[in-house]
């Protein structure tokens, strides 16, 4: 079986802009300096292990994944 | 008392009493509490004590059930007018909290704090130069205090000559949580103490300073956070004088006291756990986990309180709407079900699950976590590069507070190995 790729999502009500996601996966996440909220950039997807790691590292529980 | 209350387990020590922390974190008492089923009840101040890691994370992440806004984030209750006077983002719930936090959050992300590295390193080097030149001294006054206040003041835009004044004000602010008597008229204060943060006249001093600096930056903005806050709009409105001064107060306090405590404790660990730092010296990939261990082991903030907004249940204990729920970070960080051999200081401790010194997650997760990590990392690196060795000369003097795990003074000597020896 090939690795399942996930598209990442941000719950903008929960995001407080800690920036852990951007540090871990800079190809996928970017902290918008004007709004202070993380956004998902580009069309990059993540394999399950990296998707789960970045979800786990978000202190505000704002990151999700979808197919 | 109703039957519900009669069944409450009572804590073996009074967690509300500042004297409980006179010798540091009361590990034995916290271990007893973690082992008890459910939550224990503090009779002196009337609160539920959350001491286990999993329970703390649950409370921390559920801002709907456990509010920072209704009630107070410290153990003692204060009047509604006093709450309104001192409200900063730390005392508010989403969505207001979120809007305020986003004004400053981008300055504290890992990407942005990377850019402060060189300036932080210069500060660290200067402090260590002075400490070495004197062969040692008070580690807190010479190293642990000036580095974090210097860094946060640079970010805020407070000029160098006022840093010492900010340390003094911040110290006196914390004095409001200890049993020390306060002079209500200090710093020209005329406000009723009960209306001031920490019931401390030093808050007045901070507010006055913030107003003056704010006026200067309004006239001539610079690339600093005070300029940004003065110009910021939340929901189409500028921050009120009260919002701005409280924001400033929170940043100075949080950026100063907490990292200072971690650095003060680091001094003790350098002296007492030299073997652990030798490991980091040999294997620099341990630096990150060493920083986390310093933060876990020191747990600079002992607790924050929430107030239940509805009847709920935690760990089998029924909590009523309006009950105080206190998260003891300093207890959860030594939860033996999460951290193997929790009382041993281990620089290679796995980073997952996370310690809760920066909070258990959720909206109030420490804004300055990345900044604190980078400051501590640079300080440890510089000490290892210089091959400094420390001895504690006199027992540390702890801050008698139930809120911060601070060290007032730590007298240490410093030495380097003779040339040619390694």
């Amino acid at each position: 079986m090939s690795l399942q790729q996930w598209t990442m999502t941000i719950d903008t009500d929960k995001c407080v802009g800690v920036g852990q996601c951007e540090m871990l996966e800079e190809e996928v996440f970017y902290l918008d300096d004007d709004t202070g909220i993380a956004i998902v950039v580009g069309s990059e997807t993540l394999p399950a292990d990296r998707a789960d790691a970045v979800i786990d590292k978000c202190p505000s529980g704002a990151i999700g994944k979808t197919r | 008392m109703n039957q519900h209350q009669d069944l409450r387990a009572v804590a073996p020590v009074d967690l509300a009493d500042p004297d409980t922390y006179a010798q540091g974190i009361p590990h034995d008492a916290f271990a007893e509490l973690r082992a008890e089923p459910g939550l224990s009840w503090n009779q002196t101040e009337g609160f539920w004590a959350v001491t286990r890691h999993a329970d703390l994370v649950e409370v921390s992440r559920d801002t709907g059930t456990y509010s920072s806004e209704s009630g107070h984030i410290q153990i003692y209750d204060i009047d509604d007018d006093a709450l309104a006077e001192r409200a900063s983002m730390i005392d508010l719930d989403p969505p207001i909290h979120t809007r305020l936090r986003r004004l400053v959050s981008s300055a504290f992300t890992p990407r942005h704090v990377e850019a402060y590295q060189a300036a932080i390193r210069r500060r660290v080097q200067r402090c260590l130069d002075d400490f070495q030149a004197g062969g040692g001294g008070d580690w807190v006054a010479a190293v642990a205090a000036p580095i974090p206040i210097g860094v946060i003041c640079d970010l805020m835009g407070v000029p160098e000559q006022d840093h010492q004044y900010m340390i003094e004000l911040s110290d006196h602010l914390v004095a409001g949580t200890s049993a020390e008597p306060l002079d209500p008229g200090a710093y020209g204060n005329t406000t009723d103490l009960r209306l001031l943060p920490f019931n401390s006249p030093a808050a007045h001093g901070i507010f006055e300073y913030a107003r003056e600096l704010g006026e200067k930056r309004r006239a001539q903005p610079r690339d600093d956070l005070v300029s940004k806050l003065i110009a910021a709009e939340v929901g189409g409105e500028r921050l009120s004088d009260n919002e701005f001064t409280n924001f400033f107060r929170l940043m100075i306090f949080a950026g100063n006291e907490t990292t200072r405590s971690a650095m003060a404790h680091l001094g003790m660990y350098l002296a007492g756990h030299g073997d652990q730092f030798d490991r980091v010296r040999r294997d620099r990939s341990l630096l990150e986990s060493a920083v986390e261990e310093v933060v876990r082991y020191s747990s600079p903030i002992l607790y924050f309180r929430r107030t239940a907004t509805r009847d709920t249940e935690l760990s089998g204990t029924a909590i009523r709407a309006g009950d105080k729920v206190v998260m003891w970070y300093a207890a959860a960080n030594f939860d033996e079900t999460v951290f193997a051999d929790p009382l041993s200081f281990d620089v290679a401790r796995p980073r997952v699950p996370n310690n809760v010194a920066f909070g258990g997650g959720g909206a109030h997760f420490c804004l300055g976590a990345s900044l604190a990590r980078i400051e501590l990392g640079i300080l440890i690196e510089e000490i290892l590069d210089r091959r400094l060795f420390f001895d504690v000369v006199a027992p540390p003097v702890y801050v008698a507070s139930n809120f911060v795990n601070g060290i007032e003074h730590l007298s240490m000597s410093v030495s380097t190995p003779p040339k040619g020896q390694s």
Side-chain angles (χ1 to χ4, degrees):
Chain A
M1 289 290 287
S2 66
L3 278 175
Q4 175 72 53
Q5 290 290 124
W6 294 89
T7 300
M8 307 310 291
T9 61
I10 302 278
D11 182 338
T12 52
D13 287 339
K14 284 188 179 172
C15 178
V16 291
V18 175
Q20 290 290 318
C21 54
E22 184 187 62
M23 187 173 62
L24 284 171
E25 299 290 351
E26 59 180 3
E27 303 295 316
V28 179
F29 300 97
Y30 181 74
L31 248 292
D32 184 328
D33 292 345
D34 292 331
T35 62
I37 305 171
I39 49 174
V40 177
V41 289
S43 55
E44 291 291 324
T45 56
L46 291 176
D49 56 338
R50 281 164 60 191
D52 290 342
V54 74
I55 288 169
D56 194 54
K57 267 283 171 198
C58 174
S60 46
I63 301 174
K65 60 182 182 184
T66 179
R67 297 227 164 122
Chain B
M1 272 214 184
N2 61 29
Q3 197 181 11
H4 169 65
Q5 283 170 321
D6 290 337
L7 294 172
R8 289 168 173 177
V10 172
V13 294
D14 183 3
L15 294 179
D17 183 355
D19 286 342
T20 298
Y21 310 90
Q23 299 303 319
I25 300 170
H27 287 298
D28 292 344
F30 279 146
E32 269 187 61
L33 291 176
R34 284 192 302 269
E36 280 176 16
L39 308 178
S40 74
W41 179 255
N42 178 282
Q43 282 184 316
T44 325
E45 292 290 336
F47 62 81
W48 295 111
V50 178
T51 54
R52 283 182 293 270
H53 190 273
D55 293 341
L56 189 146
V57 168
E58 187 174 335
V59 171
S60 188
R61 295 194 176 214
D62 187 355
T63 51
T65 306
Y66 302 102
S67 170
S68 298
E69 193 170 310
S70 64
H72 187 206
I73 54 169
Q74 295 208 292
I75 287 171
Y76 56 92
D77 273 321
I78 53 174
D79 300 329
D80 286 347
D81 57 342
L83 263 182
E85 279 294 317
R86 68 181 69 182
S88 63
M89 61 180 168
I90 204 168
D91 315 277
L92 295 166
D93 293 331
I96 305 171
H97 162 269
T98 321
R99 290 208 296 271
L100 287 171
R101 177 158 173 150
R102 283 171 184 167
L103 290 177
V104 291
S105 61
S106 68
F108 294 92
T109 62
R111 168 161 52 92
H112 281 257
V113 301
E114 282 288 320
Y116 315 143
Q117 277 216 34
I120 295 172
R121 195 172 295 277
R122 282 196 297 277
R123 282 200 178 277
V124 167
Q125 286 170 339
R126 267 207 312 272
C127 289
L128 287 177
D129 286 348
D130 291 348
F131 195 72
Q132 273 180 270
D138 182 357
W139 174 257
V140 179
V143 177
I147 294 170
I149 196 75
V151 172
I152 193 67
C153 283
D154 281 352
L155 273 175
M156 297 299 287
V158 175
E160 190 84 36
Q161 68 265 22
D162 295 335
H163 289 190
Q164 198 53 45
Y165 184 50
M166 291 298 116
I167 292 177
E168 181 193 322
L169 287 170
S170 188
D171 279 358
H172 287 195
L173 200 59
V174 178
T177 66
S178 74
E180 291 173 43
L182 297 165
D183 168 15
Y187 302 105
N189 177 53
T190 52
T191 308
D192 188 355
L193 282 189
R194 71 178 186 86
L195 292 174
L196 291 171
F198 297 100
N199 300 337
S200 167
H204 176 82
I206 295 183
F207 290 162
E208 284 298 303
Y209 186 89
R211 279 188 198 103
E212 272 179 42
L213 187 61
E215 282 310 315
K216 283 183 196 160
R217 294 296 184 270
R218 198 191 309 278
Q220 277 185 307
R222 293 193 192 172
D223 184 20
D224 58 38
L225 283 179
V226 165
S227 302
K228 200 171 173 181
L229 289 172
I230 279 288
E233 291 187 359
V234 177
E237 283 179 31
R238 292 279 168 94
L239 295 184
S240 67
D241 174 72
N242 190 37
E243 284 170 328
F244 167 72
T245 54
N246 273 301
F247 219 127
F248 183 87
R249 184 256 311 170
L250 173 65
M251 304 292 274
I252 291 296
F253 170 78
N256 176 24
E257 288 296 330
T258 52
T259 311
R260 179 215 304 212
S261 289
M263 287 183 171
H265 284 94
L266 168 64
M268 302 258 293
Y269 310 153
L270 287 162
H273 301 281
D275 55 324
Q276 288 291 317
F277 289 94
D278 280 341
R279 293 172 71 188
V280 188
R281 197 190 315 272
R282 289 192 301 269
D283 178 2
R284 290 296 173 98
S285 74
L286 292 175
L287 185 64
E288 267 189 35
S289 54
V291 166
E292 291 308 301
E293 184 67 344
V294 169
V295 169
R296 179 190 77 93
Y297 215 79
S298 58
S299 295
I301 296 286
L302 294 168
Y303 81 85
F304 271 120
R305 168 192 152 191
R306 300 290 185 260
T307 305
T309 56
R310 58 180 178 86
D311 290 354
T312 185
E313 184 253 300
L314 183 64
S315 247
T317 297
I319 294 170
R320 303 241 167 119
D323 281 359
K324 301 179 188 179
V325 179
V326 178
M327 299 180 282
W328 292 96
Y329 304 107
N333 271 342
F334 294 85
D335 186 332
E336 41 287 282
T337 66
V338 175
F339 306 103
D341 196 6
L343 287 174
S344 78
F345 179 83
D346 179 1
V347 292
R349 196 177 282 284
R351 286 192 59 184
V352 177
N354 292 323
N355 77 69
V356 292
F358 293 123
H364 292 283
F365 184 81
C366 176
L367 173 68
S370 300
L371 190 60
R373 283 174 173 140
I374 224 161
E375 289 181 44
L376 282 163
I378 289 173
L379 177 57
I380 294 172
E381 263 181 343
E382 284 291 323
I383 286 165
L384 296 181
D385 285 348
R386 292 175 185 221
R387 306 191 63 77
L388 302 184
F389 295 90
F390 299 91
D391 280 306
V392 173
V393 174
V397 181
Y398 287 97
V399 178
S401 164
N402 62 16
F403 177 57
V404 294
N405 181 25
I407 296 178
E408 273 183 60
H409 304 290
L410 177 62
S411 182
M412 295 218 295
S413 64
V414 62
S415 58
T416 49
K419 284 211 162 47
Q421 261 179 262
S422 63

